Amino acid sequence: MINRNILLYWRKALTLEMLLGCAIVVGIYFRILNLGSREFWYDEVLSLLLSAGQRLQYSLPEGTPIALAQYTTLLNLPSEGSFANTLQGLIRGLYKGEPHPPVFFLVQHFWLRLFGNSEIAMRSLPALWSIGAIAAAYGLGRKLLDHRSGLLFAALLATNPFYLFHSLNVRMYTPLVLWAILSVWALLEIISRPRWKWQFAFVLSIAFGLLTFYLFAYWVIVLAGLILVLDRKHWIQHAIRMMIAGLLTLPWAVSGTLKQLRNADLDRFGVREGNSAFLHLQDLFQTVGTQLIVGDWATSLPTGTIAIAGLFASVGLGLAAIYLWKTGQKTSLAVGLGMSIFPLFLAFCVDVLARKYTLGFGWGRALIFVLPGCLLLMTIAIRQLKARQSAVALMLLLLYLAIDVGDLTLRSRSVFHQVAETVQLDSAPTLIALDSQAWGHVNRLAYYIPSTSRVDLLAQPANQLSTSLRNALKKASYRRVIWLESAAPVWSPPATAQERQQIQQVLEERFSIAKTQPLLGTMSLDEFQLKLYQTAQ
């Protein structure tokens, strides 16, 4: 009897609002807890190099060894030079070697000046962007429907595996979700009561979005469509606000965008083998599956598996839309579809017409701004389930949390820490022979290996490494050589069996192998074969 009364008490006490609030807290806690629990991956260390304003000082490794510490200094703010010169170097670095607009890197630069370049410091800013997006999700959900809807929308965004990963990622994708949500929330507030603060938020969210990621232009079209559906009679006033946002981006569009076009490498989006119609559909479903279900597990799963997950998720979204139409939720349905299905369809059509494959780029991160719309559509549908809404919401949140916990605990992200540990086993002069010149690999070695270690780096494509290594060993005396063979050298093909044998022969002329260790991360970019060669003691 007592146990039954206790169960009844907790059933009444644990309301849906409390469970959603707990999910939001857990999502934020995961972000804070894991700020420093994983290594920088390939693109993150590039963000650090650019944010430090040192891109122009970086040069490709040549055919002779170089002290690794020389690259380490490039991952810090310049020790000499004025603040203005550093910012100028940052902008010029974006002109020369980056296809993305400047806002993310400028803000990250100021954060770097305040808190340093540690993993925790660099990731704390994206985490704050994501917390802001979670708060904005609550505001949009409450404005569109009610308080409980706002909580559910915020909880889904806080625990969503895809957004959780990007909330701990020093790249420009995290704030895009904030700008997308804030722009629609501001639009709804302007339609009901055009206060200056919401007009200001509307204009800035569009401008910041465009100056963070060029594909945010899709979102501007989304906003134009929502205006025509929700408030057509005031379209001129809305158009003026959007024009003001466009004018704010004009200086960079004229001076920066044209210069960055050469950095975009658009050819990589057009080379795919197979039936084009099938590939476009695969990209579409892969994006939906990654964003709504798989998260960063996409880097370890077959493309077909992700696409199947996306197919089921897409069917679910379609059924939700049909259900909402039948229940008369036409205004909220228009917002949900406008923020999710419409931009996906728009990007899909552009890819088909342009014969490009941008939709599925980066496991769906190029269109991360459609994620809140998909979650909002799910929120609206769940809220219409009345008595079953608590059970469905709880099941979905538990699924997200289970995927989150698995990703955070079961997957190794410590590849370059292991290289650093091998280096620090001995203080003897060491040469690292790397069969890749990719700056993500080089800079991660420089970041994680202490600058006090006596380490030189020889980074060359696999077909040139054996010759360069032989010449290097003739000119300098090393007691140890660490050969890092990359599974994905990025800028050159992986080593062939013959090239591998040639490198091995050069090393065995002077050294004996002491250690062989496979290094595995969450993607092919993090797969290496470490072989430690050393002289006899």
Side-chain angles (χ1 to χ4, degrees):
M1 185 68 179
I2 295 177
N3 290 337
R4 184 180 179 183
N5 290 335
I6 292 174
L7 290 174
L8 289 173
Y9 169 78
W10 281 110
R11 185 176 179 181
K12 293 179 179 179
L14 289 175
T15 62
L16 179 58
E17 284 83 356
M18 291 181 62
L19 291 173
L20 295 176
C22 289
I24 294 171
V25 171
V26 170
I28 294 174
Y29 174 73
F30 280 172
R31 286 161 170 78
I32 297 172
L33 182 65
N34 289 282
L35 287 174
S37 67
R38 55 178 68 181
E39 286 182 351
F40 286 141
W41 71 286
Y42 188 97
D43 283 358
E44 284 184 290
V45 79
L46 305 187
S47 294
L48 175 55
L49 178 67
L50 287 160
S51 299
Q54 301 268 44
R55 169 64 182 87
L56 295 179
Q57 282 65 48
Y58 183 88
S59 58
L60 284 178
E62 298 181 353
T64 56
I66 183 174
L68 188 61
Q70 292 188 32
Y71 286 107
T72 306
T73 60
L74 301 181
L75 302 177
N76 295 278
L77 292 170
S79 57
E80 298 180 359
S82 66
F83 174 69
N85 287 338
T86 303
L87 282 181
Q88 185 180 18
L90 190 158
I91 297 298
R92 290 175 61 199
L94 295 177
Y95 288 161
K96 182 178 179 180
E98 179 64 22
H100 300 301
V103 161
F104 170 79
F105 300 104
L106 286 171
V107 177
Q108 199 74 46
H109 173 80
F110 288 106
W111 202 259
L112 173 63
R113 284 188 174 274
L114 290 173
F115 302 106
N117 72 344
S118 70
E119 294 163 338
I120 292 176
M122 294 296 291
R123 289 201 178 110
S124 59
L125 182 56
L128 287 176
W129 288 122
S130 72
I131 293 172
I134 293 167
Y138 168 75
L140 174 56
R142 185 183 63 177
K143 179 64 180 179
L144 187 63
L145 294 173
D146 53 26
H147 167 70
R148 180 175 285 187
S149 300
L151 284 176
L152 177 55
F153 185 21
L156 290 176
L157 186 63
T159 57
N160 175 265
F162 185 71
Y163 196 52
L164 176 60
F165 168 76
H166 282 286
S167 300
L168 298 169
N169 188 1
V170 189
R171 294 296 283 169
M172 70 291 302
Y173 305 104
T174 308
L176 288 175
V177 173
L178 172 59
W179 305 137
I181 297 173
L182 184 59
S183 62
V184 177
W185 181 16
L187 176 62
L188 296 181
E189 294 286 356
I190 291 170
I191 292 173
S192 62
R193 191 175 180 183
R195 293 182 177 180
W196 279 106
K197 68 176 183 179
W198 290 113
Q199 297 185 57
F200 189 70
F202 181 72
V203 169
L204 286 187
S205 61
I206 295 174
F208 284 154
L210 290 172
L211 289 173
T212 300
F213 196 64
Y214 288 123
L215 288 184
F216 197 79
Y218 286 141
W219 195 255
V220 178
I221 300 174
V222 167
L223 292 173
L226 287 176
I227 288 169
L228 293 177
V229 172
L230 301 176
D231 195 24
R232 186 178 305 174
K233 65 180 180 179
H234 295 120
W235 73 269
I236 294 179
Q237 294 93 317
H238 295 301
I240 292 173
R241 297 182 189 102
M242 296 180 74
M243 287 177 62
I244 294 172
L247 289 173
L248 291 176
T249 68
L250 191 59
W252 178 261
V254 173
S255 66
T257 305
L258 296 178
K259 294 181 180 179
Q260 287 188 310
L261 285 176
R262 64 177 181 270
N263 303 326
D265 188 18
L266 297 178
D267 291 341
R268 62 178 168 170
F269 299 119
V271 181
R272 295 276 290 273
E273 294 183 2
N275 181 274
S276 60
F278 174 80
L279 292 172
H280 285 303
L281 286 173
Q282 177 180 276
D283 277 0
L284 175 64
F285 293 133
Q286 180 182 342
T287 296
V288 175
T290 303
Q291 291 196 12
L292 292 185
I293 301 176
V294 177
D296 192 48
W297 285 95
T299 61
S300 302
L301 294 175
T303 301
T305 301
I306 306 168
I308 291 172
L311 175 61
F312 282 110
S314 299
V315 170
L317 290 176
L319 293 175
I322 294 172
Y323 175 67
L324 291 174
W325 179 265
K326 289 183 177 180
T327 55
Q329 301 295 317
K330 295 183 179 179
T331 300
S332 56
L333 176 60
V335 175
L337 289 177
M339 294 177 63
S340 58
I341 305 300
F342 179 56
L344 279 170
F345 179 72
L346 179 63
F348 179 83
C349 291
V350 170
D351 271 7
V352 171
L353 294 175
R355 298 182 180 180
K356 300 291 183 182
Y357 299 94
T358 61
L359 181 58
F361 174 72
W363 297 283
R365 66 177 182 263
L367 258 71
I368 192 172
F369 45 81
V370 307
L371 172 64
C374 294
L375 297 179
L376 179 61
L377 192 60
M378 293 162 58
T379 297
I380 300 167
I382 291 173
R383 290 288 286 120
Q384 298 306 308
L385 295 177
K386 305 302 180 184
R388 292 175 293 173
Q389 65 179 285
S390 297
V392 174
L394 181 60
M395 288 175 59
L396 184 55
L397 290 171
L398 288 176
L399 172 64
Y400 275 178
L401 289 172
I403 296 172
D404 292 338
V405 172
D407 183 32
L408 295 171
T409 59
L410 300 179
R411 308 178 78 203
S412 172
R413 294 179 171 93
S414 61
V415 169
F416 288 86
H417 276 103
Q418 296 178 65
V419 178
E421 289 172 1
T422 301
V423 168
Q424 294 177 287
L425 290 174
D426 195 324
S427 60
T430 302
L431 176 67
I432 294 179
L434 174 66
D435 62 349
S436 169
Q437 291 181 300
W439 55 355
H441 295 336
V442 171
N443 283 302
R444 282 191 290 176
L445 285 172
Y447 185 87
Y448 287 104
I449 295 176
S451 58
T452 54
S453 301
R454 293 189 291 171
V455 176
D456 288 346
L457 174 68
L458 178 64
Q460 290 290 289
N463 61 357
Q464 301 174 28
L465 185 58
S466 61
T467 302
S468 298
L469 185 58
R470 185 182 299 277
N471 294 334
L473 294 178
K474 287 179 180 178
K475 297 177 182 179
S477 176
Y478 297 100
R479 284 177 49 188
R480 299 191 306 165
V481 175
I482 296 175
W483 172 22
L484 276 181
E485 181 185 344
S486 173
V490 185
W491 296 346
S492 58
T496 64
Q498 182 180 1
E499 291 164 351
R500 196 177 297 117
Q501 185 178 13
Q502 290 172 347
I503 297 169
Q504 183 177 333
Q505 288 174 351
V506 171
L507 290 169
E508 289 179 346
E509 289 176 4
R510 299 193 180 192
F511 304 92
S512 58
I513 191 165
K515 178 182 179 182
T516 299
Q517 180 181 0
L519 304 177
L520 301 175
T522 59
M523 60 183 74
S524 60
L525 286 171
D526 297 328
E527 291 184 18
F528 295 87
Q529 189 71 225
L530 182 152
K531 295 182 179 180
L532 172 62
Y533 287 82
Q534 59 187 28
T535 58
Q537 298 295 325

